[in-house]
Amino acid sequence: MRCEVSPRQRIVSLWFPELATDRLERLERGASWRSRGAEALPRAVIATRKGTERIVALNAAARALGILAGEPLADARARHPGLASDAQAPAEEAALLAALADWCDRYTPLVALDSDDGLLLDITGCAHLFARDGAGATQDDGLPAGERALMDDCLRRLGDQGFAARAAVADTPAAAWALARHAPEPDGLAGAAAGAGIAPGAWRDALVALPIAALRLEEATVDALARVGLTRIADVVDRPRGPLASRFGRELVRRIDRLRGDEAEPISPRLAVPLLAADRRFFEPISREEDVRGVILALAERLSRDLERRGEGGRAFELALFRVDGVVNRVTVGTSRALREPARVLGLFAERLAALGDDFDAGFGFDLVRLCVLEAQRFEAVQSDFTQAGEQTEALDALIDRLGARLGIARVARFLPCDSHLPEARQKLVPAALVDTTALVWCSETPVAPDTPQLRPLRLIDPPEPVEAVAMVPEGPPLRFRWRRALYEVRACEGPERLVPPWWQSPQPPQARDYYRVEDGEGRRFWLYREGFYEADAGVELRAPRWFLQGLYA
């Protein structure tokens, strides 16, 4: 198959003129597959404007009766009592448009919202993927075969989902917007899906006959231009810029330059473009979980080769499942380190899908499955040795990844050792995904004899709890202490072990700690410390140290 891909930017503008009424009809029909039909009843969406209920949107059946947007609902009901009306719901309509934008990700990753009833798709370099075998490089209207096939497929699927849509492709967003919303509807397609296009570099013949409102100007500017006889784009597109700007404002000149392509008009995609992506389309939708897993493994193998060529490994992967009824399910997993093994990637998504349970709904099936690499980093090969450190690291990474797939990678944390003498500061809790386990030093602990005393308690109390202690001498071991209203008599004691906090981290001189391992008459063992010493405060009052309990032995 040979297709010519134009080096120009190519933008598709999608317009949903009946988005508000389509949403209501889909709710009534349950958003079922192939739900749009010809038996739609006249319907209008109303909102309060200047104290009067007015029509802000209506479907094709209502327009066929002569009802106009903006007229009072009472006047329309007087002529047509059977007109159905519903209140406007901007939040629900915005959510539906966002869902449509996610669905259009099947055609290009660059999808942007266009006001409250349209989308902009940057299909530069994507359209040739949709050209059918045997199709010519260009159609009779001058459009590349891939662009025509892309628009036809998009409009057909939208129609099956119950949406009236119009589409247009051009070199600039302004030209595509103007053609989609102001080009005459083809005969017999009023209110149905219709697409138009401008061949690369041929904007003039297609746009000069459109009304001046196609420049996306404010209503006051359109009225001012109409008063002097400038009603079409042809009347202003070649006029000198200075007089137009001085009389009608700089915005008019700016809109003309964007229409011609003399000024760039970037679009802002809703979703970030992935680093790598692989997808598979199906003529017949799939719905079984076993089939989905097989597709994930195949796509992971393709991405593994791409990552290997780049010398990278993935840290975040996204699975996008496009249902035939327009719903897009996205599942994201993170990893503790860079990886590109297909089996490991499949295992992460299998854990994630299992965690979703009943929330994972295949509906009528998936006709497109896409696997993306959202984040990657340098993948360094590690030389294995005989210490089994690599095996321990891989096992820990696999455990972290499985827990992250089930619970969310941000919820998995681990302890790291810290260079500090204070017991409560010798470790810290950090996200496990931020720790490079390959940089940690793994060492086997030295065997300890059974009769060796345990120097540190099994349970550490953080923060330490204050106790009331009585000592025989001012700086001696405790004889008894009261903790949580209970009195304990000390029968045996070991210590002291002096620990001093780092002086460079505190503006005040640090208080030294003297730690004691004590045992009461019933065999309970505690870890106490005395903070500070008996000191004379300005030579007048004797200041006593404080006692704390910080640990319990087995």
Side-chain angles (χ1 to χ4, degrees):
M1 178 179 63
R2 297 176 57 88
C3 297
E4 297 180 4
V5 181
S6 174
R8 297 173 179 265
Q9 183 187 37
R10 300 294 284 173
I11 304 295
V12 171
S13 175
L14 275 177
W15 179 38
F16 302 93
E18 303 175 17
L19 182 65
T21 55
D22 287 343
R23 182 186 69 84
L24 298 172
E25 292 174 2
R26 280 167 53 89
L27 290 177
E28 289 184 356
R29 299 173 182 175
S32 60
W33 175 235
R34 303 187 186 278
S35 62
R36 187 173 182 83
E39 70 282 356
L41 298 176
R43 182 184 297 273
V45 175
I46 60 174
T48 302
R49 297 287 187 270
K50 298 181 180 180
T52 303
E53 289 185 341
R54 295 183 178 272
I55 297 175
V56 296
L58 63 163
N59 61 1
R63 287 199 303 270
L65 298 177
I67 302 174
L68 302 176
E71 69 172 310
L73 176 63
D75 295 348
R77 280 271 177 83
R79 302 195 310 269
H80 304 284
L83 177 65
S85 62
D86 296 270
Q88 188 181 27
E92 287 77 0
E93 295 170 10
L96 178 59
L97 186 63
L100 288 170
D102 289 342
W103 177 83
C104 287
D105 189 55
R106 65 190 300 129
Y107 299 107
T108 172
L110 301 177
V111 182
L113 300 178
D114 183 22
S115 67
D116 56 356
D117 58 355
L119 301 172
L120 291 175
L121 285 66
D122 189 341
I123 62 169
T124 308
C126 302
H128 69 285
L129 302 174
F130 297 86
R132 299 179 180 86
D133 294 336
T138 57
Q139 302 296 299
D140 296 338
D141 53 5
L143 287 181
E147 295 181 1
R148 172 57 63 187
L150 186 150
M151 283 197 302
D152 291 345
D153 182 78
C154 179
L155 294 174
R156 177 182 60 81
R157 293 177 182 272
L158 289 173
D160 289 339
Q161 297 173 34
F163 294 101
R166 296 189 64 182
V169 60
D171 292 336
T172 64
W177 186 94
L179 192 63
R181 298 174 183 252
H182 293 276
E185 293 183 350
D187 295 338
L189 291 179
I198 303 176
W203 63 271
R204 183 179 296 273
D205 294 339
L207 298 180
V208 291
L210 298 183
I212 199 69
L215 290 176
R216 211 171 191 175
L217 299 171
E218 295 182 358
E219 186 176 355
T221 305
V222 174
D223 294 340
L225 290 167
R227 283 195 294 269
V228 296
L230 305 177
T231 59
R232 299 185 308 159
I233 293 179
D235 298 333
V236 297
V237 70
D238 294 323
R239 287 181 177 270
R241 297 292 190 268
L244 287 177
S246 61
R247 183 167 182 178
F248 302 103
R250 173 61 187 166
E251 185 64 19
L252 172 60
V253 177
R254 184 163 168 258
R255 294 292 182 180
I256 295 175
D257 291 340
R258 287 188 171 184
L259 185 75
R260 297 166 55 99
D262 298 335
E263 180 181 340
E265 184 179 1
I267 65 175
S268 300
R270 293 185 65 252
L271 304 176
V273 180
L275 299 178
L276 293 172
D279 57 43
R280 178 171 293 181
R281 302 173 187 273
F282 303 96
F283 180 75
E284 291 291 339
I286 62 174
S287 57
R288 296 195 312 162
E289 187 174 346
E290 294 81 0
D291 297 335
V292 174
R293 291 188 180 186
V295 175
I296 295 174
L297 182 60
L299 297 179
E301 292 174 351
R302 289 169 53 184
L303 290 180
S304 177
R305 294 190 291 267
D306 295 336
L307 289 170
E308 186 176 1
R309 283 192 293 268
R310 295 164 59 104
E312 296 178 337
R315 289 296 304 270
F317 296 86
E318 181 188 68
L319 176 67
L321 303 168
F322 294 80
R323 284 173 22 180
V324 295
D325 57 354
V327 178
V328 182
N329 296 325
R330 298 182 185 273
V331 181
T332 304
V333 297
T335 65
S336 58
R337 66 178 181 91
L339 64 86
R340 57 189 181 211
E341 294 85 357
R344 287 278 304 276
V345 176
L346 173 60
L348 295 180
F349 282 108
E351 292 284 348
R352 186 62 179 151
L353 294 178
L356 291 177
D358 295 337
D359 294 337
F360 179 74
D361 183 13
F364 295 97
F366 307 110
D367 62 347
L368 173 63
V369 178
R370 175 174 297 160
L371 183 62
C372 305
V373 179
L374 301 182
E375 182 181 350
Q377 70 178 33
R378 188 68 183 173
F379 186 91
E380 300 290 347
V382 180
Q383 178 67 38
S384 59
D385 52 24
F386 296 101
T387 63
Q388 297 183 349
E391 296 180 3
Q392 297 181 16
T393 300
E394 292 180 2
L396 180 60
D397 290 337
L399 175 62
I400 294 174
D401 292 344
R402 291 187 62 185
L403 292 175
R406 284 274 184 173
L407 309 174
I409 194 66
R411 298 181 179 180
V412 183
R414 62 169 299 171
F415 286 100
L416 283 185
C418 298
D419 187 12
S420 175
H421 294 293
L422 298 182
E424 66 271 17
R426 296 192 64 180
Q427 65 279 325
K428 61 180 178 180
L429 195 64
V430 298
L434 300 181
V435 179
D436 184 7
T437 55
T438 59
L440 299 180
V441 178
W442 293 89
C443 60
S444 60
E445 297 182 357
T446 304
V448 179
D451 56 347
T452 302
Q454 186 177 351
L455 300 181
R456 293 291 182 265
L458 294 179
R459 178 186 176 187
L460 189 70
I461 300 177
D462 186 24
E465 298 184 6
V467 298
E468 300 175 5
V470 176
M472 180 179 299
V473 295
E475 296 182 4
L479 297 178
R480 67 180 61 89
F481 65 93
R482 187 182 299 276
W483 175 53
R484 295 182 179 178
R485 299 183 181 181
L487 184 63
Y488 299 90
E489 295 287 342
V490 177
R491 300 304 182 189
C493 179
E494 293 179 349
E497 177 187 0
R498 179 162 295 180
L499 299 178
V500 181
W503 56 267
W504 58 89
Q505 296 182 359
S506 176
Q508 301 295 333
Q511 296 287 330
R513 298 180 181 181
D514 283 345
Y515 281 86
Y516 294 91
R517 296 185 294 274
V518 302
E519 182 177 335
D520 68 352
E522 298 182 4
R524 293 183 291 254
R525 304 189 65 194
F526 307 90
W527 202 37
L528 294 89
Y529 72 85
R530 181 185 62 244
E531 184 178 70
F533 307 97
Y534 286 93
E535 298 176 346
D537 188 3
V540 177
E541 183 180 357
L542 188 66
R543 187 172 58 189
R546 297 183 300 170
W547 287 85
F548 295 89
L549 176 67
Q550 195 167 13
L552 301 174
Y553 292 89

